[in-house]
C-alpha cells in the first residue's frame, strides 16, 4: 500500500471531507482565474488557488450536481455549503492579505520582529483551521443528506479524483527520482 495512504479510516473520512471542500472551493471560484504564473500556466488567485484547474473542476462539479437530482432539502444544504465555503474563502483571502502586508511592513525595519511575524502566522493559521472546519462541516452535512444512490455517485467521482491525484503524485515522485533522487538517471555524481 502507498505509504501516503496508510492510516485509519479516519484518514479516509478526512480525505473525503477535504475533497468535498476542494470541490466546493472550485465550484465557488468559478471562472475567477488570474493571469499566468511564473511557469506560464494559468493560476487561480489567492491562497489555495487552483493553478488553472478552476474551470475544469467547475465543469465536473456542475456535472456532478446535475447527476445527483437533489431534493429541495438537499439543494438547500448544497447552497448552504457553497455559501459557507465562499464566505470562508473570502475570509482566508483577507487573512492571507493581512499576513502579506505585515511581512511587507516588517521588511522595512532594520531588524525583523520574528516573534510578531510568528504570532500573526499562528493566529491566522488557527483562524484558517476554524474556517476549514466550518466549510467541511457544511459539506459533510450536505453529503449526509444524500441517499445511497447519490452517495455512490459522489463516491465514484471522489475515487476517480483520488486516482488522478495519486497518478499525478507518482509522476512527480518519478520525475524527482530521475532528476534529483538517489540512483536516478538524472542524479549528479558527488565529489569525493
Amino acid at each position: 500500500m502507498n505509504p501516503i495512504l496508510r492510516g485509519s479510516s479516519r484518514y479516509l473520512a478526512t480525505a473525503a471531507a477535504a475533497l468535498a471542500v476542494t470541490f466546493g472551493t472550485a465550484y465557488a471560484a468559478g471562472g475567477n482565474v488570474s493571469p499566468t504564473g511564473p511557469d506560464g500556466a494559468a493560476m487561480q488567485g489567492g491562497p489555495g488557488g487552483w493553478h488553472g484547474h478552476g474551470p475544469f473542476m467547475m465543469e465536473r462539479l456542475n456535472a456532478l450536481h446535475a447527476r445527483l437530482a437533489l431534493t429541495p432539502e438537499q439543494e438547500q444544504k448544497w447552497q448552504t455549503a457553497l455559501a459557507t465555503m465562499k464566505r470562508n474563502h473570502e475570509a482566508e483571502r483577507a487573512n492571507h492579505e493581512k499576513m502579506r502586508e505585515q511581512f511587507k511592513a516588517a521588511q522595512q525595519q532594520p531588524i525583523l520582529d520574528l516573534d510578531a511575524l510568528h504570532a500573526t502566522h499562528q493566529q491566522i493559521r488557527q483562524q484558517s483551521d476554524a474556517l476549514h472546519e466550518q466549510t467541511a462541516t457544511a459539506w459533510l452535512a450536505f453529503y449526509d443528506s444524500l441517499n445511497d444512490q447519490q452517495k455512490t455517485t459522489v463516491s465514484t467521482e471522489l475515487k476517480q479524483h483520488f486516482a488522478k491525484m495519486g497518478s499525478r503524485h507518482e509522476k512527480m515522485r518519478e520525475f524527482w527520482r530521475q532528476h534529483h533522487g538517489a540512483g536516478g538517471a538524472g542524479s549528479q555524481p558527488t565529489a569525493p
Side-chain angles (χ1 to χ4, degrees), residues 10 17 43 88 137 159 165:
R10 181 180 169 112
M43 295 182 67
N88 291 347
T137 299
K159 288 175 187 179
M165 284 179 11

Side-chain angles (χ1 to χ4, degrees), residues 16 18-33 44 48-67 78 82 139 154 157-158 160-162 164-165 168:
L19 193 54
V21 170
T22 298
F23 277 155
T25 302
Y27 187 89
N32 185 23
V33 179
Q44 189 72 22
W50 279 92
H51 309 290
H53 299 295
F56 174 70
M57 291 298 289
M58 263 306 289
E59 290 174 17
R60 288 180 63 190
L61 273 177
N62 286 334
L64 176 63
H65 184 257
R67 285 194 320 263
W78 173 275
L82 283 177
W139 280 110
V154 172
E157 182 74 24
L158 292 175
Q160 290 171 354
H161 186 74
F162 287 148
K164 287 178 184 177
M165 284 179 11
R168 278 192 289 258

Side-chain angles (χ1 to χ4, degrees), residues 68-86:
L68 291 176
L70 300 175
T71 66
E73 177 188 342
Q74 292 168 334
E75 182 65 31
Q76 180 60 41
K77 289 183 186 275
W78 173 275
Q79 295 302 324
T80 298
L82 283 177
T84 301
M85 186 267 323
K86 287 178 184 180

Side-chain angles (χ1 to χ4, degrees), residues 16-17 21 32 43 72 83 87 94 107 121 123 139 142 152-153 164 170 177:
V21 170
N32 185 23
M43 295 182 67
R87 182 183 66 243
Q107 287 179 317
H121 180 262
Q123 178 186 16
W139 280 110
F142 162 73
T152 300
T153 300
K164 287 178 184 177
E170 186 54 41
R177 281 191 290 262

